[in-house]
Amino acid sequence: MGHLQGRRAAVIGAGIGGLTAALALARRGADVTLDERAPELGDVGAGIQISANAVRVLDALGVGQALREAAVRNRAVQLNDAAARRVLRMDLVSHRPDADFLLIHRPRLIRVLSDAARAAGVTIRLGRTVDALPDAALVVGADGIHGHSREWLNGREVPFFTGQTAWRAVIAGDGPPEAHVFMGPGRHLVSYPLGRGLRNIVAVQERRDWQNEGWSQPGDPDELRAAFAEFGNPVRGWLAAVDQVNLWGLFRHPVAPVWTDGTLAILGDAAHPTLPFLAQGAGMAIEDAWVLASCLDAQPQDQALNAYAQARIPRVTRIVEAANANARNYHLRGAMRLAGHSVLRIADRIAPRVMPGRFDWLYDHDPIAAHP
């Protein structure tokens, strides 16, 4: 019998990380209560990518079939210039035929996870703001960068504004099951289908004005179209279909120095917020949840929480740094842009497996094998 059997655990925040943590803990016998301040789950309509490293966790938690029914299997990531000319194509299926990369509408993923968590015995309480540390032997802080958990462990921080502003929109549309990146000077746009007649758009522009952090504030679709007016089709056609868009400023935070105090442990954005340039925010949170539950089940809590932090910090730090590098590479200007795109085009022609292989360390990672 593991150390989690019958253990009371309180989870703060019912996003992807919090729901996955609650499910992982409950699967190992914990008595889990999850508090979420929002009155409803899954009310934010964004698309997300779930790469193979995180899909392995969701399979192990028993939600793989429901997940695949709600998602689209991504077969490739293609980099294009602003005129939609191919720069580099990474064929995910041929490089990793046994691995699944999924594209999904966030509310569908939340529904899959919340249904599984409730079925596993998790008590989910909505409309509950947690302003003080819950009275439980084990508390998991999955309340994001603006929640209290990170601050309880690390104090107040001043984030660094990157000088980049992003828009996020979902439009009616479909298309091949691929993620496409369109790169222009000082800006780029990512789009992919979500299935069921929906397409996700994320567009990032370098600009000096300061936007509020967080992505729930409304933006102006015409401003988005003007910012990417020099991009060709299909981008122009997609943006013409945008009638509602969210806008947020991109801020850089360090990976949290302190992850636990022996009772409270943080995960996901509360521990390691990342820029959206490697599509690993959700994936890291999902991995965190599995490793946390595995460590807690295998050894006494103090040792387990320290082992969890030690296992996760090097990996998430590498992922955050890789996302920061992509932020630079996508926005090259002038001669640097021409040279960079030329190198990628040559690699695309003569060594198409080289670029996908550069991320084997990320996508081939198996949290289940590392932490049974």
Side-chain angles (χ1 to χ4, degrees):
M1 184 179 296
H3 288 266
L4 277 174
Q5 191 66 41
R7 176 73 59 88
R8 282 185 58 237
V11 180
I12 307 170
I16 292 166
L19 285 167
T20 307
L23 176 59
L25 293 168
R27 286 271 193 260
R28 294 176 184 262
D31 177 10
V32 184
T33 299
L34 190 160
D35 285 334
E36 165 58 43
R37 66 181 179 182
E40 297 179 14
L41 290 179
D43 59 338
V44 179
I48 57 174
Q49 302 181 56
I50 311 175
S51 52
N53 46 299
V55 171
R56 293 183 185 100
V57 171
L58 298 177
D59 280 338
L61 290 174
V63 298
Q65 181 177 346
L67 175 67
R68 286 170 178 81
E69 290 173 356
V72 173
R73 187 185 184 196
N74 185 13
R75 68 188 186 194
V77 176
Q78 182 164 312
L79 306 183
N80 310 278
D81 63 18
R85 294 173 300 212
R86 172 172 161 172
V87 174
L88 177 80
R89 182 177 177 84
M90 293 182 283
D91 190 319
L92 301 174
V93 175
S94 66
H95 188 68
R96 296 179 179 83
D98 298 326
D100 282 346
F101 293 75
L102 302 178
L103 310 171
I104 190 169
H105 199 205
R106 186 179 184 276
R108 290 184 216 145
L109 177 57
I110 293 292
R111 193 172 305 117
V112 167
L113 292 172
S114 60
D115 287 350
R118 288 190 174 104
V122 175
T123 300
I124 299 178
R125 304 187 298 190
L126 302 177
R128 302 277 296 229
T129 299
V130 179
D131 292 323
L133 193 67
D135 182 17
L138 171 64
V139 181
V140 178
D143 47 350
I145 191 60
H146 297 300
H148 293 299
S149 298
R150 181 181 173 105
E151 185 179 332
W152 287 336
L153 292 175
N154 293 275
R156 289 188 176 273
E157 299 171 333
V158 178
F160 167 73
F161 180 54
T162 64
Q164 297 172 330
T165 301
W167 290 269
R168 189 190 294 266
V170 175
I171 62 172
D174 218 323
E178 303 173 354
H180 279 251
V181 182
F182 300 84
M183 303 175 292
R187 68 203 67 202
H188 81 280
L189 183 143
V190 181
S191 185
Y192 47 84
L194 301 171
R196 304 183 190 180
L198 296 178
R199 169 170 286 277
N200 192 62
I201 295 172
V202 178
V204 179
Q205 177 192 19
E206 294 178 6
R207 50 195 282 182
R208 294 181 180 178
D209 58 324
W210 186 286
Q211 300 292 339
N212 291 331
E213 192 175 17
W215 49 278
S216 60
Q217 57 184 334
D220 182 348
D222 288 333
E223 186 181 57
L224 167 60
R225 284 186 277 269
F228 289 83
E230 296 180 3
F231 281 51
N233 279 323
V235 169
R236 193 169 298 166
W238 292 335
L239 296 185
V242 173
D243 58 13
Q244 185 175 352
V245 65
N246 287 337
L247 174 69
W248 83 110
L250 300 183
F251 292 74
R252 189 176 297 162
H253 301 256
V255 173
V258 180
W259 284 41
T260 180
D261 62 1
T263 299
L264 170 65
I266 53 176
L267 58 72
D269 283 351
H272 45 73
T274 186
L275 296 175
F277 300 127
L278 200 59
Q280 285 298 311
M284 284 193 290
I286 291 167
E287 286 186 11
D288 287 347
W290 177 271
V291 175
L292 175 63
S294 174
C295 290
L296 283 165
D297 206 29
Q299 51 194 309
Q301 184 164 312
D302 277 355
Q303 298 173 31
L305 294 182
N306 287 328
Y308 154 70
Q310 290 169 11
R312 294 301 296 158
I313 288 175
R315 177 162 169 82
V316 301
T317 299
R318 186 177 182 184
I319 291 172
V320 169
E321 290 172 350
N324 292 344
N326 273 358
R328 295 187 295 272
N329 295 336
Y330 285 167
H331 293 184
L332 296 176
R333 301 173 186 267
M336 288 290 291
R337 178 169 171 265
L338 291 174
H341 287 195
S342 295
V343 168
L344 292 177
R345 285 191 168 102
I346 292 170
D348 190 44
R349 287 198 305 271
I350 66 175
R353 297 183 66 85
V354 168
M355 281 301 291
R358 288 184 60 202
F359 292 99
D360 285 349
W361 65 271
L362 174 57
Y363 300 135
D364 290 350
H365 178 67
D366 187 350
I368 316 308
H371 300 274

